[in-house]
Amino acid sequence: MKKLRGFLLMGLLVALTACSSNVEPQDSQSSQSENADETTESSSTPAASSDNPAGSSLVAYFSYSGNTQQIAESIAEKTGSEVFEITTAEGYPEDYDSVVDLAQEERNDQARPELGSELTNLEEYDTIYLGYPIWWSDMPMAVYSFLDDYDLAGKRIVPFCTHGGSGLSSTDTAIADEEPEATVLEGLALWDSAIDDADAEIDEWLAAVNQ
């Protein structure tokens, strides 16, 4: 059903993008109402990876329809990282137009929605792979909430995003502004329509940022 919903949302995005190139709240977060048990289990304590016994890297991501989640899980598998899903205390609407409108409202207000997940072992990680969809040419405001809530000073932040045509949209610069004492490395921007074929691109990017 998530795949089907993702395809339906992508189709709606294409139609909407034809009217406005700035409207991009398309990836994103799995419905919290449908996945409450899964979110509760995974959000407070990241799952350990047998490939990363030292726990030195973390993939933290915000996702709505599942595109960014798919990339996050791929990165975690390739790097042996643990995973943390950024969720909000109040879930986003399932209706696409409502999400678009709310995302724009939050961006205009520079809102900081309350998070519904808590990271309790941040000190264990040296590298944070930070993932998000591009909404209105920016990160979702929930990601700003994450950056406000957690001090990433001294850590390596490696951004990645899914988008419908705008690339990173200077979100790497925004992250550097939010976390001036962290090191922000080269980001990866993947088209929503191409995530199923992004394996080689992810490998190339990981090799470059971790050399």
Side-chain angles (χ1 to χ4, degrees), residues 76-124:
E77 182 178 358
K78 292 174 181 294
T79 60
S81 300
E82 296 183 358
V83 177
F84 175 76
E85 181 180 7
I86 301 168
T87 63
T88 53
E90 185 173 342
Y92 284 88
E94 293 188 8
D95 176 69
Y96 177 74
D97 290 336
S98 298
V99 173
V100 169
D101 292 341
L102 181 55
Q104 183 182 39
E105 180 182 340
E106 287 184 340
R107 185 180 187 278
N108 290 344
D109 294 342
Q110 288 297 292
R112 296 295 187 267
E114 180 184 356
L115 298 183
S117 50
E118 181 181 2
L119 179 61
T120 59
N121 56 344
L122 178 63
E123 70 282 354
E124 297 180 14

mmCIF file of all heavy atoms in Angstrom, residues 76-124:
data_model
loop_
_atom_site.group_PDB
_atom_site.id
_atom_site.type_symbol
_atom_site.label_atom_id
_atom_site.label_comp_id
_atom_site.label_asym_id
_atom_site.label_seq_id
_atom_site.Cartn_x
_atom_site.Cartn_y
_atom_site.Cartn_z
ATOM 1 N N ALA A 76 21.889 3.219 5.461
ATOM 2 C CA ALA A 76 22.184 2.530 6.717
ATOM 3 C C ALA A 76 22.764 1.146 6.465
ATOM 4 O O ALA A 76 23.732 0.724 7.122
ATOM 5 C CB ALA A 76 20.922 2.432 7.562
ATOM 6 N N GLU A 77 22.186 0.440 5.500
ATOM 7 C CA GLU A 77 22.685 -0.898 5.174
ATOM 8 C C GLU A 77 24.094 -0.843 4.605
ATOM 9 O O GLU A 77 24.950 -1.666 4.957
ATOM 10 C CB GLU A 77 21.743 -1.565 4.177
ATOM 11 C CG GLU A 77 22.148 -2.985 3.809
ATOM 12 C CD GLU A 77 21.179 -3.645 2.851
ATOM 13 O OE1 GLU A 77 20.166 -3.023 2.492
ATOM 14 O OE2 GLU A 77 21.444 -4.799 2.457
ATOM 15 N N LYS A 78 24.361 0.130 3.758
ATOM 16 C CA LYS A 78 25.665 0.234 3.107
ATOM 17 C C LYS A 78 26.763 0.689 4.068
ATOM 18 O O LYS A 78 27.930 0.353 3.880
ATOM 19 C CB LYS A 78 25.586 1.198 1.924
ATOM 20 C CG LYS A 78 24.734 0.711 0.759
ATOM 21 C CD LYS A 78 24.587 1.798 -0.302
ATOM 22 C CE LYS A 78 23.712 1.344 -1.457
ATOM 23 N NZ LYS A 78 24.310 0.238 -2.231
ATOM 24 N N THR A 79 26.395 1.466 5.069
ATOM 25 C CA THR A 79 27.400 2.045 5.978
ATOM 26 C C THR A 79 27.433 1.373 7.346
ATOM 27 O O THR A 79 28.307 1.691 8.159
ATOM 28 C CB THR A 79 27.131 3.541 6.192
ATOM 29 O OG1 THR A 79 25.833 3.722 6.763
ATOM 30 C CG2 THR A 79 27.228 4.302 4.875
ATOM 31 N N GLY A 80 26.500 0.458 7.607
ATOM 32 C CA GLY A 80 26.442 -0.152 8.923
ATOM 33 C C GLY A 80 25.985 0.824 9.991
ATOM 34 O O GLY A 80 26.343 0.690 11.159
ATOM 35 N N SER A 81 25.209 1.822 9.590
ATOM 36 C CA SER A 81 24.752 2.853 10.523
ATOM 37 C C SER A 81 23.489 2.407 11.245
ATOM 38 O O SER A 81 22.727 1.571 10.758
ATOM 39 C CB SER A 81 24.448 4.154 9.773
ATOM 40 O OG SER A 81 25.583 4.653 9.115
ATOM 41 N N GLU A 82 23.259 3.009 12.392
ATOM 42 C CA GLU A 82 21.990 2.861 13.066
ATOM 43 C C GLU A 82 20.999 3.852 12.454
ATOM 44 O O GLU A 82 21.391 4.748 11.708
ATOM 45 C CB GLU A 82 22.152 3.070 14.572
ATOM 46 C CG GLU A 82 23.052 2.005 15.189
ATOM 47 C CD GLU A 82 23.196 2.130 16.690
ATOM 48 O OE1 GLU A 82 22.621 3.071 17.273
ATOM 49 O OE2 GLU A 82 23.894 1.293 17.273
ATOM 50 N N VAL A 83 19.717 3.693 12.760
ATOM 51 C CA VAL A 83 18.672 4.469 12.097
ATOM 52 C C VAL A 83 17.779 5.142 13.132
ATOM 53 O O VAL A 83 17.402 4.535 14.138
ATOM 54 C CB VAL A 83 17.816 3.561 11.181
ATOM 55 C CG1 VAL A 83 16.683 4.360 10.545
ATOM 56 C CG2 VAL A 83 18.675 2.909 10.110
ATOM 57 N N PHE A 84 17.438 6.398 12.854
ATOM 58 C CA PHE A 84 16.519 7.147 13.710
ATOM 59 C C PHE A 84 15.545 7.906 12.824
ATOM 60 O O PHE A 84 15.948 8.689 11.966
ATOM 61 C CB PHE A 84 17.296 8.142 14.583
ATOM 62 C CG PHE A 84 16.421 9.040 15.415
ATOM 63 C CD1 PHE A 84 15.793 8.570 16.550
ATOM 64 C CD2 PHE A 84 16.237 10.371 15.055
ATOM 65 C CE1 PHE A 84 14.992 9.395 17.326
ATOM 66 C CE2 PHE A 84 15.436 11.212 15.815
ATOM 67 C CZ PHE A 84 14.813 10.721 16.954
ATOM 68 N N GLU A 85 14.248 7.668 13.011
ATOM 69 C CA GLU A 85 13.233 8.364 12.234
ATOM 70 C C GLU A 85 12.775 9.609 12.977
ATOM 71 O O GLU A 85 12.334 9.537 14.128
ATOM 72 C CB GLU A 85 12.033 7.462 11.947
ATOM 73 C CG GLU A 85 10.967 8.171 11.097
ATOM 74 C CD GLU A 85 9.766 7.301 10.787
ATOM 75 O OE1 GLU A 85 9.688 6.180 11.340
ATOM 76 O OE2 GLU A 85 8.920 7.742 10.005
ATOM 77 N N ILE A 86 12.875 10.748 12.328
ATOM 78 C CA ILE A 86 12.369 12.002 12.882
ATOM 79 C C ILE A 86 10.869 12.056 12.621
ATOM 80 O O ILE A 86 10.433 12.054 11.462
ATOM 81 C CB ILE A 86 13.067 13.213 12.221
ATOM 82 C CG1 ILE A 86 14.580 13.141 12.433
ATOM 83 C CG2 ILE A 86 12.499 14.517 12.754
ATOM 84 C CD1 ILE A 86 15.365 14.138 11.576
ATOM 85 N N THR A 87 10.092 12.073 13.671
ATOM 86 C CA THR A 87 8.641 12.161 13.521
ATOM 87 C C THR A 87 8.145 13.379 14.293
ATOM 88 O O THR A 87 8.869 13.973 15.087
ATOM 89 C CB THR A 87 7.935 10.899 14.060
ATOM 90 O OG1 THR A 87 8.188 10.781 15.476
ATOM 91 C CG2 THR A 87 8.444 9.652 13.352
ATOM 92 N N THR A 88 6.912 13.740 14.041
ATOM 93 C CA THR A 88 6.305 14.865 14.744
ATOM 94 C C THR A 88 5.223 14.364 15.698
ATOM 95 O O THR A 88 4.585 13.339 15.445
ATOM 96 C CB THR A 88 5.693 15.877 13.769
ATOM 97 O OG1 THR A 88 4.800 15.198 12.882
ATOM 98 C CG2 THR A 88 6.786 16.555 12.955
ATOM 99 N N ALA A 89 5.039 15.108 16.789
ATOM 100 C CA ALA A 89 4.037 14.718 17.777
ATOM 101 C C ALA A 89 2.646 14.694 17.161
ATOM 102 O O ALA A 89 1.824 13.841 17.469
ATOM 103 C CB ALA A 89 4.083 15.669 18.970
ATOM 104 N N GLU A 90 2.403 15.632 16.269
ATOM 105 C CA GLU A 90 1.133 15.680 15.551
ATOM 106 C C GLU A 90 1.394 15.316 14.096
ATOM 107 O O GLU A 90 2.105 16.020 13.387
ATOM 108 C CB GLU A 90 0.515 17.077 15.652
ATOM 109 C CG GLU A 90 -0.866 17.182 15.037
ATOM 110 C CD GLU A 90 -1.525 18.524 15.293
ATOM 111 O OE1 GLU A 90 -1.074 19.236 16.211
ATOM 112 O OE2 GLU A 90 -2.478 18.865 14.568
ATOM 113 N N GLY A 91 0.826 14.207 13.663
ATOM 114 C CA GLY A 91 1.102 13.725 12.317
ATOM 115 C C GLY A 91 0.588 14.653 11.233
ATOM 116 O O GLY A 91 -0.324 15.456 11.454
ATOM 117 N N TYR A 92 1.178 14.532 10.040
ATOM 118 C CA TYR A 92 0.745 15.334 8.907
ATOM 119 C C TYR A 92 -0.478 14.699 8.243
ATOM 120 O O TYR A 92 -0.677 13.485 8.316
ATOM 121 C CB TYR A 92 1.881 15.472 7.902
ATOM 122 C CG TYR A 92 2.928 16.453 8.349
ATOM 123 C CD1 TYR A 92 3.995 16.044 9.144
ATOM 124 C CD2 TYR A 92 2.842 17.804 8.004
ATOM 125 C CE1 TYR A 92 4.946 16.955 9.580
ATOM 126 C CE2 TYR A 92 3.786 18.710 8.431
ATOM 127 C CZ TYR A 92 4.835 18.284 9.220
ATOM 128 O OH TYR A 92 5.768 19.193 9.657
ATOM 129 N N PRO A 93 -1.313 15.504 7.580
ATOM 130 C CA PRO A 93 -2.512 14.962 6.928
ATOM 131 C C PRO A 93 -2.154 13.950 5.845
ATOM 132 O O PRO A 93 -1.080 14.026 5.242
ATOM 133 C CB PRO A 93 -3.167 16.205 6.306
ATOM 134 C CG PRO A 93 -2.565 17.373 7.000
ATOM 135 C CD PRO A 93 -1.187 16.965 7.404
ATOM 136 N N GLU A 94 -3.046 13.020 5.603
ATOM 137 C CA GLU A 94 -2.835 12.068 4.520
ATOM 138 C C GLU A 94 -3.169 12.681 3.163
ATOM 139 O O GLU A 94 -2.623 12.272 2.140
ATOM 140 C CB GLU A 94 -3.677 10.812 4.743
ATOM 141 C CG GLU A 94 -3.247 9.996 5.948
ATOM 142 C CD GLU A 94 -3.971 8.672 6.028
ATOM 143 O OE1 GLU A 94 -4.687 8.339 5.060
ATOM 144 O OE2 GLU A 94 -3.813 7.976 7.045
ATOM 145 N N ASP A 95 -4.058 13.654 3.149
ATOM 146 C CA ASP A 95 -4.451 14.311 1.900
ATOM 147 C C ASP A 95 -3.308 15.171 1.375
ATOM 148 O O ASP A 95 -2.754 16.017 2.092
ATOM 149 C CB ASP A 95 -5.683 15.191 2.143
ATOM 150 C CG ASP A 95 -6.081 15.971 0.907
ATOM 151 O OD1 ASP A 95 -6.543 15.352 -0.064
ATOM 152 O OD2 ASP A 95 -5.906 17.215 0.919
ATOM 153 N N TYR A 96 -2.943 14.961 0.109
ATOM 154 C CA TYR A 96 -1.770 15.627 -0.460
ATOM 155 C C TYR A 96 -1.890 17.145 -0.453
ATOM 156 O O TYR A 96 -0.959 17.858 -0.043
ATOM 157 C CB TYR A 96 -1.544 15.139 -1.899
ATOM 158 C CG TYR A 96 -0.392 15.840 -2.574
ATOM 159 C CD1 TYR A 96 0.919 15.548 -2.230
ATOM 160 C CD2 TYR A 96 -0.624 16.813 -3.553
ATOM 161 C CE1 TYR A 96 1.973 16.193 -2.837
ATOM 162 C CE2 TYR A 96 0.426 17.461 -4.157
ATOM 163 C CZ TYR A 96 1.723 17.155 -3.797
ATOM 164 O OH TYR A 96 2.758 17.796 -4.390
ATOM 165 N N ASP A 97 -3.022 17.668 -0.895
ATOM 166 C CA ASP A 97 -3.195 19.116 -0.932
ATOM 167 C C ASP A 97 -3.084 19.722 0.462
ATOM 168 O O ASP A 97 -2.543 20.818 0.634
ATOM 169 C CB ASP A 97 -4.541 19.482 -1.558
ATOM 170 C CG ASP A 97 -4.593 19.193 -3.048
ATOM 171 O OD1 ASP A 97 -3.508 19.153 -3.670
ATOM 172 O OD2 ASP A 97 -5.695 18.994 -3.588
ATOM 173 N N SER A 98 -3.585 19.015 1.449
ATOM 174 C CA SER A 98 -3.504 19.510 2.830
ATOM 175 C C SER A 98 -2.064 19.545 3.310
ATOM 176 O O SER A 98 -1.655 20.476 4.016
ATOM 177 C CB SER A 98 -4.341 18.625 3.757
ATOM 178 O OG SER A 98 -5.711 18.664 3.401
ATOM 179 N N VAL A 99 -1.276 18.539 2.920
ATOM 180 C CA VAL A 99 0.147 18.527 3.285
ATOM 181 C C VAL A 99 0.871 19.693 2.618
ATOM 182 O O VAL A 99 1.688 20.378 3.242
ATOM 183 C CB VAL A 99 0.809 17.192 2.891
ATOM 184 C CG1 VAL A 99 2.310 17.247 3.120
ATOM 185 C CG2 VAL A 99 0.199 16.048 3.675
ATOM 186 N N VAL A 100 0.577 19.921 1.342
ATOM 187 C CA VAL A 100 1.193 21.032 0.620
ATOM 188 C C VAL A 100 0.906 22.355 1.335
ATOM 189 O O VAL A 100 1.803 23.167 1.572
ATOM 190 C CB VAL A 100 0.675 21.097 -0.834
ATOM 191 C CG1 VAL A 100 1.101 22.404 -1.509
ATOM 192 C CG2 VAL A 100 1.190 19.907 -1.632
ATOM 193 N N ASP A 101 -0.350 22.567 1.690
ATOM 194 C CA ASP A 101 -0.739 23.820 2.337
ATOM 195 C C ASP A 101 -0.095 23.961 3.716
ATOM 196 O O ASP A 101 0.397 25.042 4.079
ATOM 197 C CB ASP A 101 -2.264 23.893 2.480
ATOM 198 C CG ASP A 101 -2.972 24.027 1.143
ATOM 199 O OD1 ASP A 101 -2.308 24.414 0.151
ATOM 200 O OD2 ASP A 101 -4.190 23.745 1.082
ATOM 201 N N LEU A 102 -0.089 22.877 4.486
ATOM 202 C CA LEU A 102 0.497 22.938 5.828
ATOM 203 C C LEU A 102 2.000 23.152 5.762
ATOM 204 O O LEU A 102 2.566 23.911 6.557
ATOM 205 C CB LEU A 102 0.178 21.652 6.587
ATOM 206 C CG LEU A 102 0.713 21.567 8.022
ATOM 207 C CD1 LEU A 102 0.248 22.756 8.855
ATOM 208 C CD2 LEU A 102 0.290 20.242 8.663
ATOM 209 N N ALA A 103 2.657 22.496 4.805
ATOM 210 C CA ALA A 103 4.097 22.671 4.659
ATOM 211 C C ALA A 103 4.441 24.121 4.327
ATOM 212 O O ALA A 103 5.416 24.681 4.843
ATOM 213 C CB ALA A 103 4.630 21.748 3.563
ATOM 214 N N GLN A 104 3.647 24.735 3.457
ATOM 215 C CA GLN A 104 3.879 26.138 3.112
ATOM 216 C C GLN A 104 3.646 27.037 4.330
ATOM 217 O O GLN A 104 4.428 27.962 4.594
ATOM 218 C CB GLN A 104 2.976 26.574 1.970
ATOM 219 C CG GLN A 104 3.233 28.014 1.524
ATOM 220 C CD GLN A 104 2.293 28.446 0.420
ATOM 221 O OE1 GLN A 104 1.115 28.096 0.436
ATOM 222 N NE2 GLN A 104 2.792 29.193 -0.544
ATOM 223 N N GLU A 105 2.583 26.764 5.064
ATOM 224 C CA GLU A 105 2.280 27.564 6.259
ATOM 225 C C GLU A 105 3.405 27.463 7.286
ATOM 226 O O GLU A 105 3.832 28.474 7.859
ATOM 227 C CB GLU A 105 0.963 27.085 6.867
ATOM 228 C CG GLU A 105 0.547 27.835 8.123
ATOM 229 C CD GLU A 105 -0.743 27.299 8.706
ATOM 230 O OE1 GLU A 105 -1.501 26.634 7.983
ATOM 231 O OE2 GLU A 105 -0.974 27.542 9.904
ATOM 232 N N GLU A 106 3.892 26.251 7.521
ATOM 233 C CA GLU A 106 4.979 26.067 8.489
ATOM 234 C C GLU A 106 6.246 26.782 8.036
ATOM 235 O O GLU A 106 6.951 27.395 8.852
ATOM 236 C CB GLU A 106 5.266 24.577 8.676
ATOM 237 C CG GLU A 106 4.209 23.843 9.467
ATOM 238 C CD GLU A 106 4.570 22.389 9.718
ATOM 239 O OE1 GLU A 106 5.434 21.843 8.988
ATOM 240 O OE2 GLU A 106 3.983 21.794 10.642
ATOM 241 N N ARG A 107 6.543 26.708 6.732
ATOM 242 C CA ARG A 107 7.739 27.372 6.228
ATOM 243 C C ARG A 107 7.608 28.884 6.354
ATOM 244 O O ARG A 107 8.555 29.571 6.782
ATOM 245 C CB ARG A 107 7.988 26.994 4.770
ATOM 246 C CG ARG A 107 9.294 27.564 4.207
ATOM 247 C CD ARG A 107 9.487 27.147 2.752
ATOM 248 N NE ARG A 107 10.795 27.549 2.271
ATOM 249 C CZ ARG A 107 11.104 28.751 1.823
ATOM 250 N NH1 ARG A 107 10.168 29.711 1.813
ATOM 251 N NH2 ARG A 107 12.316 29.040 1.388
ATOM 252 N N ASN A 108 6.454 29.437 5.999
ATOM 253 C CA ASN A 108 6.252 30.884 6.096
ATOM 254 C C ASN A 108 6.372 31.370 7.530
ATOM 255 O O ASN A 108 6.876 32.470 7.794
ATOM 256 C CB ASN A 108 4.886 31.265 5.525
ATOM 257 C CG ASN A 108 4.812 31.101 4.018
ATOM 258 O OD1 ASN A 108 5.833 30.989 3.344
ATOM 259 N ND2 ASN A 108 3.606 31.066 3.475
ATOM 260 N N ASP A 109 5.896 30.546 8.466
ATOM 261 C CA ASP A 109 5.942 30.915 9.879
ATOM 262 C C ASP A 109 7.261 30.537 10.546
ATOM 263 O O ASP A 109 7.463 30.846 11.726
ATOM 264 C CB ASP A 109 4.800 30.226 10.642
ATOM 265 C CG ASP A 109 3.430 30.719 10.217
ATOM 266 O OD1 ASP A 109 3.352 31.807 9.597
ATOM 267 O OD2 ASP A 109 2.441 30.015 10.496
ATOM 268 N N GLN A 110 8.147 29.861 9.795
ATOM 269 C CA GLN A 110 9.374 29.318 10.380
ATOM 270 C C GLN A 110 9.047 28.524 11.647
ATOM 271 O O GLN A 110 9.684 28.668 12.709
ATOM 272 C CB GLN A 110 10.375 30.437 10.668
ATOM 273 C CG GLN A 110 11.013 31.032 9.412
ATOM 274 C CD GLN A 110 11.836 29.994 8.648
ATOM 275 O OE1 GLN A 110 12.885 29.541 9.118
ATOM 276 N NE2 GLN A 110 11.362 29.613 7.459
ATOM 277 N N ALA A 111 8.026 27.704 11.527
ATOM 278 C CA ALA A 111 7.538 26.923 12.660
ATOM 279 C C ALA A 111 8.553 25.858 13.056
ATOM 280 O O ALA A 111 9.394 25.439 12.257
ATOM 281 C CB ALA A 111 6.208 26.263 12.292
ATOM 282 N N ARG A 112 8.439 25.437 14.291
ATOM 283 C CA ARG A 112 9.252 24.337 14.810
ATOM 284 C C ARG A 112 8.300 23.333 15.450
ATOM 285 O O ARG A 112 8.061 23.353 16.648
ATOM 286 C CB ARG A 112 10.281 24.838 15.832
ATOM 287 C CG ARG A 112 11.331 25.780 15.274
ATOM 288 C CD ARG A 112 12.233 25.088 14.264
ATOM 289 N NE ARG A 112 13.342 25.921 13.835
ATOM 290 C CZ ARG A 112 13.318 26.712 12.767
ATOM 291 N NH1 ARG A 112 12.198 26.782 12.027
ATOM 292 N NH2 ARG A 112 14.367 27.423 12.433
ATOM 293 N N PRO A 113 7.726 22.445 14.633
ATOM 294 C CA PRO A 113 6.769 21.480 15.183
ATOM 295 C C PRO A 113 7.422 20.596 16.245
ATOM 296 O O PRO A 113 8.596 20.232 16.136
ATOM 297 C CB PRO A 113 6.340 20.664 13.958
ATOM 298 C CG PRO A 113 7.400 20.896 12.935
ATOM 299 C CD PRO A 113 7.942 22.257 13.191
ATOM 300 N N GLU A 114 6.654 20.268 17.245
ATOM 301 C CA GLU A 114 7.152 19.398 18.311
ATOM 302 C C GLU A 114 7.429 18.006 17.747
ATOM 303 O O GLU A 114 6.634 17.455 16.992
ATOM 304 C CB GLU A 114 6.128 19.302 19.433
ATOM 305 C CG GLU A 114 6.555 18.409 20.589
ATOM 306 C CD GLU A 114 5.481 18.245 21.635
ATOM 307 O OE1 GLU A 114 4.422 18.901 21.501
ATOM 308 O OE2 GLU A 114 5.683 17.457 22.572
ATOM 309 N N LEU A 115 8.571 17.449 18.131
ATOM 310 C CA LEU A 115 8.932 16.130 17.637
ATOM 311 C C LEU A 115 8.249 15.038 18.440
ATOM 312 O O LEU A 115 8.007 15.180 19.643
ATOM 313 C CB LEU A 115 10.450 15.943 17.675
ATOM 314 C CG LEU A 115 11.258 16.903 16.796
ATOM 315 C CD1 LEU A 115 12.743 16.560 16.858
ATOM 316 C CD2 LEU A 115 10.779 16.880 15.353
ATOM 317 N N GLY A 116 7.967 13.947 17.767
ATOM 318 C CA GLY A 116 7.332 12.812 18.423
ATOM 319 C C GLY A 116 8.299 11.687 18.697
ATOM 320 O O GLY A 116 7.899 10.619 19.158
ATOM 321 N N SER A 117 9.573 11.878 18.379
ATOM 322 C CA SER A 117 10.595 10.866 18.604
ATOM 323 C C SER A 117 11.758 11.495 19.351
ATOM 324 O O SER A 117 12.020 12.689 19.213
ATOM 325 C CB SER A 117 11.067 10.274 17.275
ATOM 326 O OG SER A 117 11.396 11.293 16.347
ATOM 327 N N GLU A 118 12.454 10.690 20.144
ATOM 328 C CA GLU A 118 13.560 11.205 20.955
ATOM 329 C C GLU A 118 14.805 10.370 20.738
ATOM 330 O O GLU A 118 14.769 9.133 20.822
ATOM 331 C CB GLU A 118 13.181 11.198 22.441
ATOM 332 C CG GLU A 118 14.284 11.740 23.341
ATOM 333 C CD GLU A 118 13.918 11.710 24.806
ATOM 334 O OE1 GLU A 118 12.797 11.232 25.120
ATOM 335 O OE2 GLU A 118 14.725 12.149 25.637
ATOM 336 N N LEU A 119 15.906 11.034 20.478
ATOM 337 C CA LEU A 119 17.205 10.377 20.305
ATOM 338 C C LEU A 119 17.945 10.447 21.634
ATOM 339 O O LEU A 119 18.264 11.531 22.117
ATOM 340 C CB LEU A 119 17.990 11.083 19.194
ATOM 341 C CG LEU A 119 19.384 10.552 18.877
ATOM 342 C CD1 LEU A 119 19.313 9.095 18.422
ATOM 343 C CD2 LEU A 119 20.034 11.418 17.796
ATOM 344 N N THR A 120 18.200 9.305 22.226
ATOM 345 C CA THR A 120 18.743 9.280 23.588
ATOM 346 C C THR A 120 20.232 8.987 23.670
ATOM 347 O O THR A 120 20.814 9.061 24.752
ATOM 348 C CB THR A 120 17.990 8.225 24.418
ATOM 349 O OG1 THR A 120 18.142 6.934 23.799
ATOM 350 C CG2 THR A 120 16.508 8.572 24.521
ATOM 351 N N ASN A 121 20.860 8.654 22.556
ATOM 352 C CA ASN A 121 22.276 8.259 22.612
ATOM 353 C C ASN A 121 23.110 8.987 21.557
ATOM 354 O O ASN A 121 23.990 8.403 20.922
ATOM 355 C CB ASN A 121 22.410 6.749 22.447
ATOM 356 C CG ASN A 121 21.770 6.232 21.162
ATOM 357 O OD1 ASN A 121 20.973 6.920 20.523
ATOM 358 N ND2 ASN A 121 22.125 5.026 20.760
ATOM 359 N N LEU A 122 22.842 10.264 21.373
ATOM 360 C CA LEU A 122 23.533 11.048 20.347
ATOM 361 C C LEU A 122 25.046 11.023 20.507
ATOM 362 O O LEU A 122 25.792 11.053 19.526
ATOM 363 C CB LEU A 122 23.026 12.492 20.390
ATOM 364 C CG LEU A 122 23.661 13.488 19.412
ATOM 365 C CD1 LEU A 122 23.379 13.072 17.967
ATOM 366 C CD2 LEU A 122 23.138 14.897 19.673
ATOM 367 N N GLU A 123 25.508 10.970 21.749
ATOM 368 C CA GLU A 123 26.949 11.033 22.008
ATOM 369 C C GLU A 123 27.708 9.859 21.398
ATOM 370 O O GLU A 123 28.936 9.918 21.236
ATOM 371 C CB GLU A 123 27.217 11.101 23.513
ATOM 372 C CG GLU A 123 26.914 9.843 24.303
ATOM 373 C CD GLU A 123 25.423 9.646 24.586
ATOM 374 O OE1 GLU A 123 24.619 10.547 24.268
ATOM 375 O OE2 GLU A 123 25.066 8.575 25.119
ATOM 376 N N GLU A 124 27.023 8.807 21.019
ATOM 377 C CA GLU A 124 27.687 7.629 20.468
ATOM 378 C C GLU A 124 28.110 7.811 19.010
ATOM 379 O O GLU A 124 28.886 7.007 18.491
ATOM 380 C CB GLU A 124 26.762 6.414 20.563
ATOM 381 C CG GLU A 124 26.407 6.023 21.982
ATOM 382 C CD GLU A 124 25.487 4.817 22.028
ATOM 383 O OE1 GLU A 124 25.350 4.141 20.980
ATOM 384 O OE2 GLU A 124 24.914 4.551 23.087
#
